[in-house]
Amino acid sequence: MSGNVFGSIFRVMTFGESHGPYIGMVIDGLKPGLAINSEQIQQELDRRRPGQSELVTPRQETDRAEIISGIFEGKTTGTPLCILIRNQDQRSQDYQKLQNLLRPGHASYSYLQKYGIFDYRGGGRASGRETASRVAAGAVARQLLKQRDIQIFAYTRQIGDVMIDSVDLAEIEKNPVRSPDASTAKKMAAAISRAQQEGDSLGGVIEIVVKNCPAGLGEPVFNKLEADLAQALMSIGAVKAFEMGGGFSAAHQRGSNFNDLFYYDPESKKFRTRTNQAGGILGGISNGEDLVMRIAVKPPSSISKKQNTVDLSGSPAELEIKGRHDPCICPRVVPVAEAMVALVLIDHLLLQERISSQKELEDVRHKVDTIDTQILLLYAQRRKLIGDIARIKKDKQIPVLDKTREKEKEKRMQEMARELQLPSKMTTELFQLFLQDSYAIQEEILR
Ligand SMILES: Cc1cc2nc3c(=O)[nH]c(=O)nc-3n(C[C@H](O)[C@H](O)[C@H](O)COP(=O)(O)O)c2cc1C
């Protein structure tokens, strides 16, 4: 089974299954010496873990991050960073009755078609549990992004028919639905409870905003920033749609309205746009505005309402799921979405820094080459002037050698070398070379 690795420089592999002993992740490609706070990794895992409120599954997982390798005394060592998260509250017996039934909305049927085998206990790799590993990896990426002042916020924008009216980022973590609008949060929670009482579930929309994203991230053509963000977010289970900036509203707008008009902002000394229908990306490359994207999350498939289905022999069957499931997963997908966006951004940022450092090297090399050329030009000028001296000496019958002048000049050169902190041996050797060259030119002319 491939497709378990994400990223090109900051490479993350997640492993483990919902009903095995552990899940976890390995990050490859971290430089040594980067400050990483393990408590912050735990805080992110706590935001995603189940059992936080009545609105999410009561499955009790402490999701303790066990750092196995890659960090020593709060800094990366440059070796693969491995984190294990123990599965504690699986209750595999809940699934035994379902093992021969095709579960609507679940991955079991397509897994069976692909692999010919399926672990019926929970969703295996398709389970929402896998996303704990992503959150751990994302927490590392987020810290590196924060060191560059890049911040990612996600929140629940819509649940069922209830849509937010305003955005106050400070509200998000104060309510169980992770809404940025306190008054709508109550309506969302009520809608979820109602669906749950009816044995049903609810979907929603999550909005993700990136602040201080530098301009220039994203590779043209196949690795456009929005293409990579879409892939990252669509790889989360239950995510059914992605849109960037104006997104689907683009379909019923005119260019004169959809275009983001440019202006020059003297305060930041940057070119900005008055609106942000592009969602902070033009031509696949970030333009310095906030990145704004949304994902649609489907209502969880595990509902206690009776559903008609078939068993593996094709006979009709009824399905009634009694396990512990989320009636709406939006609040728990919020930290997962932030993690995936963090993984995309850190990868693009490291790629950009690699390109920039290559460019920096080329710029400095160019300057050195220019200096070397100037040295040769000056050397040619010097030889010409020495020839002029030789002709004057010949006319006036002045001897070539002048030991007093030579000594004074060498002294001056050494003093200057000290001031410029140049190596004295090298300066003396250079001086001697010039002197020999001067004698050779003069003797040739005076012969
Ligand atoms: C954090 C998280 C928690 C999830 N919890 C549940 C759940 O309790 N019940 C459920 O039916 N699906 C849940 N899912 C969704 C399933 O994993 C997903 O719908 C299923 O694997 C089928 O994949 P698909 O919907 O992407 O096609 C969860 C997903 C995430 C990301």
Side-chain angles (χ1 to χ4, degrees):
M1 181 182 184
S2 56
N4 297 291
V5 180
F6 186 81
S8 58
I9 299 180
F10 189 101
R11 286 164 60 78
V12 177
M13 171 185 253
T14 72
F15 56 84
E17 284 150 29
S18 56
H19 286 246
Y22 282 99
I23 55 165
M25 63 98 213
V26 178
I27 303 173
D28 193 16
L30 276 173
K31 278 192 202 159
L34 304 172
I36 298 295
N37 181 333
S38 42
E39 275 169 34
Q40 279 174 23
I41 300 176
Q42 191 55 54
Q43 279 162 18
E44 287 302 311
L45 282 170
D46 290 345
R47 289 176 69 217
R48 193 219 68 100
R49 78 180 169 79
Q52 298 167 69
S53 78
E54 283 173 8
L55 301 177
V56 296
T57 170
R59 178 172 167 163
Q60 282 304 323
E61 294 286 1
T62 52
D63 281 359
R64 299 300 311 167
E66 296 176 35
I67 299 174
I68 301 302
S69 63
I71 297 184
F72 178 64
E73 293 179 341
K75 293 215 165 122
T76 55
T77 56
T79 58
L81 195 166
C82 176
I83 294 179
L84 289 181
I85 304 161
R86 189 185 279 280
N87 290 327
Q88 284 174 318
D89 190 20
Q90 295 104 318
R91 296 212 209 152
S92 304
Q93 67 277 9
D94 283 359
Y95 293 83
Q96 246 151 22
K97 288 186 274 31
L98 311 173
Q99 60 178 299
N100 289 320
L101 297 182
L102 297 187
R103 291 196 290 148
H106 278 284
S108 46
Y109 173 68
S110 40
Y111 266 57
L112 196 60
Q113 291 298 301
K114 184 173 171 69
Y115 301 106
I117 179 169
F118 185 71
D119 180 351
Y120 61 85
R121 306 160 307 160
R125 289 291 283 161
S127 165
R129 181 112 193 95
E130 181 272 337
T131 59
S133 309
R134 301 175 188 227
V135 169
V140 176
R142 284 186 87 164
Q143 292 186 38
L144 302 179
L145 292 170
K146 209 163 175 204
Q147 288 162 16
R148 293 161 172 87
D149 203 26
I150 302 171
Q151 291 190 318
I152 304 167
F153 302 93
Y155 45 80
T156 304
R157 182 180 152 92
Q158 185 181 341
I159 283 180
D161 295 329
V162 189
M163 170 93 92
I164 55 167
D165 293 321
S166 59
V167 175
D168 176 358
L169 296 179
E171 274 302 321
I172 303 170
E173 293 302 315
K174 291 187 187 160
N175 61 76
V177 287
R178 296 211 158 93
S179 160
D181 176 348
S183 62
T184 325
K186 290 192 189 92
K187 291 183 198 152
M188 287 175 169
I192 296 173
S193 299
R194 237 179 357 260
Q196 191 176 26
Q197 278 156 24
E198 290 161 12
D200 222 328
S201 61
L202 276 184
V205 174
I206 290 169
E207 188 158 68
I208 307 117
V209 178
V210 181
K211 297 214 167 275
N212 301 327
C213 178
L217 300 190
E219 300 305 309
V221 192
F222 297 117
N223 290 101
K224 289 185 163 93
L225 189 58
E226 64 206 308
D228 285 358
L229 286 166
Q231 198 237 314
L233 290 164
M234 291 293 292
S235 79
I236 303 170
V239 172
K240 285 288 157 197
F242 169 87
E243 61 176 7
M244 190 90 220
F248 278 91
S249 78
H252 51 82
Q253 291 193 55
R254 289 185 168 205
S256 54
N257 184 39
F258 198 78
N259 283 348
D260 298 315
L261 301 183
F262 284 105
Y263 71 98
Y264 181 72
D265 175 25
E267 206 175 298
S268 63
K269 297 194 176 66
K270 282 181 183 157
F271 288 100
R272 305 270 330 259
T273 58
R274 297 206 182 276
T275 48
N276 191 14
Q277 303 259 33
I281 298 176
L282 284 171
I285 297 170
S286 59
N287 64 4
E289 297 298 322
D290 286 354
L291 302 185
V292 183
M293 64 215 98
R294 284 173 290 281
I295 49 174
V297 181
K298 78 180 191 185
S301 314
S302 296
I303 48 174
S304 55
K305 219 178 205 169
K306 233 179 235 169
Q307 296 176 88
N308 290 328
T309 186
V310 284
D311 65 18
L312 287 174
S313 67
S315 308
E318 274 189 342
L319 178 70
E320 226 181 326
I321 298 170
K322 287 274 178 272
R324 302 147 304 156
H325 300 282
D326 291 271
C328 174
I329 59 170
C330 286
R332 296 185 59 215
V333 174
V334 162
V336 183
E338 289 172 348
M340 290 314 293
V341 169
L343 293 180
V344 173
L345 290 183
I346 194 67
D347 208 35
H348 275 277
L349 205 77
L350 293 177
L351 195 62
Q352 189 60 21
E353 283 176 1
R354 209 179 254 187
I355 295 168
S356 310
S357 60
Q358 185 64 32
K359 193 176 167 297
E360 200 183 339
L361 179 67
E362 275 162 22
D363 286 352
V364 178
R365 276 184 174 154
H366 178 70
K367 282 182 190 155
V368 170
D369 289 351
T370 310
I371 290 173
D372 289 349
T373 313
Q374 282 169 351
I375 290 173
L376 282 183
L377 288 169
L378 286 170
Y379 178 44
Q381 267 182 42
R382 185 181 195 279
R383 287 183 63 105
K384 199 170 158 294
L385 291 171
I386 298 292
D388 292 346
I389 291 174
R391 276 181 285 277
I392 295 167
K393 281 184 177 170
K394 193 177 183 182
D395 273 2
K396 312 252 167 180
Q397 307 231 323
I398 301 168
V400 171
L401 274 177
D402 184 344
K403 283 277 170 208
T404 326
R405 189 182 130 72
E406 253 177 52
K407 286 227 164 71
E408 273 172 12
K409 195 170 166 188
E410 190 178 352
K411 201 172 142 217
R412 254 188 288 130
M413 299 276 275
Q414 286 294 356
E415 277 169 9
M416 204 167 160
R418 260 197 303 282
E419 261 173 47
L420 296 172
Q421 297 185 328
L422 294 171
S424 78
K425 186 166 171 275
M426 179 88 171
T427 313
T428 311
E429 279 171 10
L430 265 178
F431 179 71
Q432 289 303 329
L433 280 175
F434 282 136
L435 210 61
Q436 280 165 25
D437 194 45
S438 301
Y439 287 149
I441 295 166
Q442 291 185 49
E443 271 161 17
E444 177 82 27
I445 291 170
L446 291 168
R447 203 184 289 144

